[in-house]
Amino acid sequence: MVKVCVLGAFGGIGQPLSLLLKINPHIDELSLYDLNDCHGISKDLSHINTKSTTSGFDKNTLKDALQGSNIVVIPAGMARKEGMTRDDLFKVNANIIKTLCLHIGQTCSENVKVLIISNPVNCLVPVAIETFRKLGKLHPENIMGITTLDIVRAETFLREHLRELNNDDIDPLDHDVISVVGGHSGTTIVPIIPDKNIIKLLGSSRYKQLVHRIQFGGDEVIKAKKSSGSATLSMAYAASEFISTILLSMTHGTGICSKEQKYRYLPAYVYLPGLKNGAQLKRHLKQVAHLDVNYFAVPLKFKNGSISELDPTILTKLSQEEIELLRAAMEPLQINIKKGEKFVQNTA
Ligand code: NAD
Ligand code: LMR
């Protein structure tokens, strides 16, 4: 029996994500929680004829919502409007993530997977890790920041360029055509194209455009929505894809994402120390970027729903442009990470 709990289920991401989870055949029970009462959303979804059951909760029943969950996904919190940075969300959302993680730690089993969507992801995953550490219940293999939207965008935008070049030999959804590592904001987002012939094929101007769009895709959506909010539908899709890979590994043992019969490993933003190949990745980062960090988005392999290892090869085949992107990412990433860690260390 697999139970998935959505914290922030009433919101712009929460509602379409809950719909996608309701139609996922690997979920038996869906639990929907928000400060806004989720009974109505739950009733609506419960009429869909898939096998899972749904329950809605309100702000007084968080414990009941969490009880027995295998996966808790968190899109709770404030979203950006035009003119805001993800950093502007920190104060409000760090409090939300800390409070929710305290409840998860007190209510759920130590094997629960905690998936963070709320921004700034670069800071809030450290907030979650430090909160679980304080509780004495830290399992880094089960805590992830969802950065799948970056890879979804990278694949989409690369496809658009390849179409314009009349190239249909390369399918961006093939394993390893494009990956995205680093963090989830601006220049901390680092696209990597292992086959450097593809970078040559794109040419310098297209390549720069592609990188910029992947790094600042979130701003594009906010602008188009005319200040009503940020990406919700594409994010719900991305989170649903990521959760599917975890569910596949829970039901089939391995964690691969199946797309049109093609397979690839999805990255997520994770705490490197304590994860298999984490030390190796930190060494590579130090070698290539002259700095290292404890948190980094990197392609993952799963076993039974938990991270089993990180892809150690991802930083070994970099072009000069990619090395420069990586170097530019490190300092802002370090600042973001420290901010998240300090927040928990300095609060009761
Ligand atoms: P939204 O405002 O539409 O929804 C947020 C929901 O969270 C609301 O329903 C609100 O009531 C709820 N909420 C607030 N505090 C809560 C709490 N303590 N417990 C439970 N629920 C609570 O926002 P949205 O567009 O759904 O975005 C949500 C978050 O996801 C934002 O921080 C946004 O920046 C982030 N986001 C991340 C990515 C990513 O790639 N990781 C992509 C898009 C958006
Ligand atoms: C995104 O990349 O779309 C999200 O992180 C939301 C945002 O604030 O841009």
Side-chain angles (χ1 to χ4, degrees):
M1 293 295 283
V2 176
K3 175 173 173 177
V4 177
C5 178
V6 183
L7 303 180
F10 196 90
I13 295 167
Q15 293 205 33
L17 174 58
S18 301
L19 171 62
L20 292 169
L21 297 177
K22 176 69 179 104
I23 61 174
N24 189 308
H26 299 298
I27 296 174
D28 301 290
E29 199 181 335
L30 192 55
S31 173
L32 308 176
Y33 169 85
D34 198 293
L35 296 182
N36 287 305
D37 190 344
C38 285
H39 285 97
I41 296 171
S42 167
K43 177 60 76 184
D44 190 356
L45 288 176
S46 74
H47 288 196
I48 295 174
N49 59 1
T50 51
K51 72 166 184 185
S52 53
T53 58
T54 65
S55 321
F57 298 87
D58 60 29
K59 62 173 186 264
N60 303 314
T61 50
L62 175 55
K63 211 178 158 114
D64 297 334
L66 287 170
Q67 203 82 55
S69 296
N70 304 91
I71 297 176
V72 179
V73 53
I74 315 183
M78 198 197 267
R80 278 203 292 162
K81 293 207 164 88
E82 217 174 341
M84 290 171 84
T85 65
R86 290 184 184 83
D87 238 23
D88 295 332
L89 308 172
F90 178 78
K91 220 169 160 195
V92 172
N93 289 354
N95 274 303
I96 294 174
I97 292 299
K98 189 181 146 210
T99 308
L100 292 176
C101 287
L102 281 173
H103 280 91
I104 295 168
Q106 285 155 3
T107 311
C108 299
S109 90
E110 297 210 8
N111 200 27
V112 65
K113 298 5 164 191
V114 181
L115 314 180
I116 295 166
I117 294 177
S118 319
N119 269 316
V121 171
N122 291 2
C123 310
L124 297 187
V125 176
V127 167
I129 289 277
E130 290 307 315
T131 306
F132 283 106
R133 195 197 303 279
K134 256 192 177 174
L135 283 174
K137 294 184 176 177
L138 177 58
H139 296 281
E141 70 279 14
N142 291 331
I143 302 170
M144 295 153 244
I146 304 191
T147 57
T148 320
L149 183 52
D150 299 321
I151 191 101
V152 165
R153 283 183 179 138
E155 289 166 350
T156 305
F157 302 158
L158 176 60
R159 191 197 293 289
E160 285 174 17
H161 281 292
L162 292 170
R163 274 203 185 128
E164 282 171 20
L165 291 166
N166 292 322
N167 183 312
D168 41 325
D169 297 340
I170 304 164
D171 182 350
L173 295 189
D174 268 344
H175 170 54
D176 236 13
V177 168
I178 188 161
S179 190
V180 184
V181 301
H184 176 69
S185 79
T187 54
T188 69
I189 299 172
V190 180
I192 291 181
I193 301 180
D195 179 354
K196 305 310 170 201
N197 289 322
I198 300 178
I199 299 183
K200 273 197 201 132
L201 176 76
L202 291 170
S204 162
S205 159
R206 268 183 197 280
Y207 176 68
K208 280 195 180 120
Q209 276 177 45
L210 174 67
V211 170
H212 186 272
R213 249 190 120 189
I214 295 168
Q215 292 185 325
F216 296 95
D219 298 4
E220 205 178 287
V221 178
I222 292 170
K223 196 163 173 223
K225 286 193 172 181
K226 298 190 172 47
S227 254
S228 66
S230 57
T232 52
L233 302 174
S234 50
M235 181 60 227
Y237 167 80
S240 156
E241 284 291 291
F242 186 67
I243 293 167
S244 288
T245 68
I246 296 181
L247 289 166
L248 271 175
S249 87
M250 285 166 78
T251 49
H252 291 88
T254 62
I256 44 178
C257 176
S258 165
K259 269 266 163 111
E260 300 166 4
Q261 271 76 56
K262 310 218 163 135
Y263 297 100
R264 75 239 208 272
Y265 294 101
L266 288 175
Y269 183 72
V270 295
Y271 181 58
L272 301 178
L275 293 176
K276 189 170 173 202
N277 301 330
Q280 201 176 334
L281 262 154
K282 274 168 67 72
R283 268 200 307 279
H284 277 147
L285 276 174
K286 189 119 198 178
Q287 250 169 25
V288 180
H290 308 315
L291 280 177
D292 73 340
V293 281
N294 278 344
Y295 292 82
F296 206 70
V298 58
L300 309 173
K301 292 187 185 179
F302 289 99
K303 196 167 181 208
N304 302 326
S306 300
I307 302 167
S308 60
E309 61 179 294
L310 312 174
D311 179 355
T313 64
I314 191 74
L315 301 178
T316 57
K317 305 166 246 174
L318 301 180
S319 67
Q320 193 51 40
E321 293 97 322
E322 289 167 340
I323 290 174
E324 271 152 34
L325 290 173
L326 199 63
R327 287 183 181 159
M330 297 306 281
E331 227 178 271
L333 205 46
Q334 275 191 333
I335 293 169
N336 287 165
I337 292 165
K338 269 207 185 98
K339 191 170 174 175
E341 288 175 339
K342 271 201 175 143
F343 173 81
V344 182
Q345 285 153 8
N346 295 343
T347 51

